[in-house]
Amino acid sequence: MKRTEFKAKPVAEKARVVEAPVKLIAKPATIKPTLVVKRVINPLIPRRPIKRSQRANQFTYMKAPGIEHAFDVGDTVEVFCDHEKSRERIRGWVKGIVVQVDHKMVAVQFRSNVYLTDGWMVPDRILWYPVNSEHIRPVPGKKVVKDKKDFIPDY
């Protein structure tokens, strides 16, 4: 019989060491040249440029952000403030008329005396509110019925 001989392979092979290129930087002749070694941090992984995708809208809204109520001069509004009612000072909703509007503030004038939160009465009866304040709301307009025969009552 013929015998075949096998050579035993070593269990662990030595890992190859990849050496990074070495650059020598020469300085002027008066100064002794020094060896500066610059190595690539990870030569096995190629660096790819990072692509920035076009961003979609950062926020999604159920409705467009903006002014909830647009006020115009002459509109009737209700305002939550301290006011006089039957010679008694109360805090509640009172009707007023918009007398001035700008992009941030609304001025409302009242027929009764109104007070600031610290107790002072406002002499010209005009209070200023931010356009997006929760203390000011439009008064719903009254519906005009033209013909009684076309009128359908709500039950």
Side-chain angles (χ1 to χ4, degrees):
M1 244 198 220
K2 197 172 188 184
R3 280 184 143 178
T4 56
E5 292 182 21
F6 293 103
K7 281 189 175 180
K9 291 185 181 178
V11 177
E13 291 185 14
K14 290 183 181 178
R16 291 186 182 180
V17 177
V18 178
E19 292 185 18
V22 176
K23 293 183 182 178
L24 290 176
I25 298 176
K27 294 187 179 180
T30 58
I31 301 173
K32 190 176 173 183
T34 59
L35 180 66
V36 177
V37 178
K38 292 186 178 181
R39 295 182 188 241
V40 179
I41 295 173
N42 195 351
L44 302 176
I45 300 173
R47 297 279 178 162
R48 286 182 264 152
I50 299 171
K51 292 182 181 178
R52 299 263 182 193
S53 63
Q54 293 178 348
R55 287 187 178 182
N57 290 340
Q58 188 174 2
F59 303 105
T60 55
Y61 295 98
M62 293 187 68
K63 61 180 181 177
I67 301 170
E68 190 173 329
H69 303 291
F71 298 106
D72 292 323
V73 174
D75 288 349
T76 304
V77 293
E78 284 183 329
V79 171
F80 190 75
C81 66
D82 293 344
H83 61 280
E84 259 183 28
K85 187 173 186 179
S86 62
R87 294 190 179 214
E88 206 171 306
R89 183 175 164 175
I90 60 168
R91 183 162 183 80
W93 292 96
V94 63
K95 286 186 182 179
I97 297 173
V98 176
V99 291
Q100 190 172 341
V101 178
D102 88 24
H103 65 285
K104 289 185 179 181
M105 302 291 282
V106 177
V108 182
Q109 189 169 26
F110 305 94
R111 293 185 180 237
S112 63
N113 290 332
V114 290
Y115 297 89
L116 300 175
T117 52
D118 58 357
W120 291 90
M121 186 181 79
V122 181
D124 59 359
R125 298 178 180 172
I126 295 177
L127 293 178
W128 286 85
Y129 287 91
V131 173
N132 58 357
S133 173
E134 66 271 0
H135 296 293
I136 184 170
R137 65 185 183 197
V139 173
K142 295 181 180 178
K143 295 181 181 177
V144 179
V145 178
K146 293 184 179 178
D147 293 327
K148 291 209 174 205
K149 58 184 173 184
D150 292 337
F151 176 69
I152 302 173
D154 290 333
Y155 293 110

